[in-house]
Amino acid sequence: MAAVFPLTGVIRPYAWGSRTALADLQGRPSPSDAPEAELWLGAHPGDPSTVDGVSLATLIENDPKGQLGTEVAGEFGVRLPYLMKVLAAAAPLSLQAHPDADYAKIAWAAQEAGPDAPKNYTDAFHKPEMLVALTPFEALCGFRDPAESASALEAFGIERLSPVVAALRTGVNGLSEAVRTLLTWPADDRAALVEEVVAAGTSPLAVSIAGFYPGDPGVLVALLLNHVRLEPGEAIWMPAGNLHAYLSGLGVEIMAASDNVLRGGLTPKRVDVDELLRVLRFEVLEDPILPATPVSPGVVTWKVPVREFALFKYELGTSTPPLSLPPAGPRIVLGTVGDVYVAEAVDGTPVEVTPGTAAYIPAGTGAATAAGLGEIFVAAVAS
């Protein structure tokens, strides 16, 4: 199958989703009837996108060489190795981290072999992630300087937080102890502790998060992380072991196609503290913002050390000639601004891509171009 096709994604209605952001992006009535959290674009078995009503996962299974290309199928098997999303957060997501590739394989195998093992993993793959903001976007990403965190907690004037403050004063080596102490805080004192933190009034971030998750010790764990404010076009990168949470905003997210999530608070779901601590990287992330790298006029990318995916942003103006898209492998094109037409490079029938809609380019199509007036994001397998 060699052509470019409209791709229909699936919207997931998680409770933290916005009732306006995705609807506004796609030009639908707003607000929506229910929260709309993520638009999934890919072949993940949880919610595969469709081409002419046929699951993209089925198309790949039936024709891996034509859909993925020989190289991608040989490296990753009969699966699209990335998942693209448009994420719309109206409330904070859970604190979370993801295992690295080697540990994911080991942990998945151990879980499958032991019927009584905790069910922390859904597959054998890692899940590095990157997000590029479409609107002003707030997130927590990676540990900040423990001395800053110690000062923030000390400012609450809560004596029973002294052991956490003392651990943080020892530097990076005390981060694990601080996180464990907070996440295993006595259940009968959690609500009171968070209420005292809010009453102290020294941390607007804690006050805001506690409004969504009263009594959750993740409110204090959040204060150990970098509070990141992204402008449109800025990105954050979350490799394995990075503790993070999205707080608010609309962004394009790309990740390795996995559902392996270890939560660390800000959630009613189960938190396996021991397993989370095994996965976390206890290191300071000095600058969470990932700079864009120019590729060619009108095209930028964000360099990350993974093979599963690459993400490009194309800006097309009134005088912009047709721009070449990544030339190989399976590609997904997402519209975010204006009207853009995607087609095979030679005599292709163009597919219109408008904000919140997408197109799919199988590997067998080969070279493709984008023309028009607007902005698109293109997901591909890293070359």
Side-chain angles (χ1 to χ4, degrees):
M1 182 169 60
V4 177
F5 300 91
L7 184 70
T8 303
V10 179
I11 292 178
R12 288 206 154 187
Y14 302 129
W16 49 262
S18 169
R19 291 176 181 263
T20 58
L22 286 175
D24 290 345
L25 179 69
Q26 295 182 328
R28 294 184 282 109
S30 174
S32 57
D33 293 336
E36 297 180 334
E38 296 176 345
L39 170 64
W40 283 29
L41 298 168
H44 190 282
D47 258 328
S49 302
T50 57
V51 174
D52 292 331
V54 179
S55 162
L56 182 55
T58 299
L59 293 175
I60 291 171
E61 182 179 356
N62 292 340
D63 180 22
K65 182 177 179 181
Q67 301 298 322
L68 303 176
T70 302
E71 181 179 349
V72 172
E75 182 172 356
F76 297 106
V78 185
R79 57 187 294 269
L80 185 67
Y82 62 81
L83 175 62
M84 190 183 201
K85 299 180 182 180
V86 184
L87 184 141
L93 283 66
S94 63
L95 289 165
Q96 57 189 259
H98 314 291
D100 64 30
D102 291 338
Y103 189 82
K105 291 177 184 176
I106 294 168
W108 171 250
Q111 178 178 294
E112 290 299 282
D116 298 326
K119 303 303 181 186
N120 289 311
Y121 298 95
T122 62
D123 55 61
F125 306 106
H126 68 162
K127 193 188 178 191
E129 303 171 329
M130 181 176 71
L131 180 135
V132 181
L134 293 178
T135 66
F137 196 99
E138 290 193 50
L140 304 170
C141 184
F143 290 106
R144 62 173 173 165
D145 185 336
E148 296 177 3
S149 300
S151 296
L153 268 60
E154 197 169 43
F156 296 135
I158 301 172
E159 179 62 30
R160 59 192 189 283
L161 282 176
S162 296
V164 181
V165 173
L168 293 169
R169 290 291 184 204
T170 67
V172 172
N173 292 336
L175 279 172
S176 177
E177 181 182 347
V179 172
R180 179 183 289 279
T181 300
L182 291 172
L183 290 182
T184 59
W185 200 268
D188 59 0
D189 187 43
R190 292 180 179 184
L193 176 64
V194 174
E195 287 173 4
E196 289 178 52
V197 167
V198 170
T202 60
S203 172
L205 177 61
V207 172
S208 174
I209 295 175
F212 294 98
Y213 300 100
D216 191 316
V219 172
L220 284 95
V221 176
L223 303 182
L224 310 187
L225 306 181
N226 294 296
H227 184 191
V228 185
R229 297 174 176 87
L230 300 175
E231 292 301 317
E234 292 186 319
I236 50 174
W237 159 240
M238 290 141 293
N242 172 291
L243 189 61
H244 60 276
Y246 299 139
L247 301 179
S248 65
L250 182 70
V252 176
E253 189 180 31
I254 188 164
M255 64 195 67
S258 168
D259 246 356
N260 283 329
V261 177
L262 292 161
R263 293 176 175 84
L266 309 185
T267 178
K269 297 181 180 179
R270 175 173 170 272
V271 175
D272 187 329
V273 176
D274 289 336
E275 188 66 10
L276 176 69
L277 294 177
R278 278 190 280 270
V279 164
L280 285 181
R281 291 183 178 174
F282 292 103
E283 57 194 23
V284 174
L285 180 59
E286 293 184 358
D287 187 1
I289 297 179
L290 180 68
T293 299
V295 176
S296 59
V299 184
V300 299
T301 190
W302 295 265
K303 293 185 176 181
V304 293
V306 295
R307 284 280 300 136
E308 284 84 353
F309 63 79
L311 185 68
F312 302 84
K313 184 178 77 169
Y314 286 67
E315 294 181 341
L316 298 102
T318 53
S319 59
T320 305
L323 297 178
S324 296
L325 301 183
R331 291 143 287 172
I332 293 176
V333 181
L334 166 70
T336 51
V337 176
D339 253 342
V340 176
Y341 293 85
V342 180
E344 293 174 82
V346 180
D347 298 329
T349 301
V351 170
E352 184 181 17
V353 177
T354 57
T357 69
Y360 168 62
I361 310 169
T365 298
T369 61
L373 181 62
E375 176 187 87
I376 57 173
F377 284 79
V378 182
V381 178
S383 58

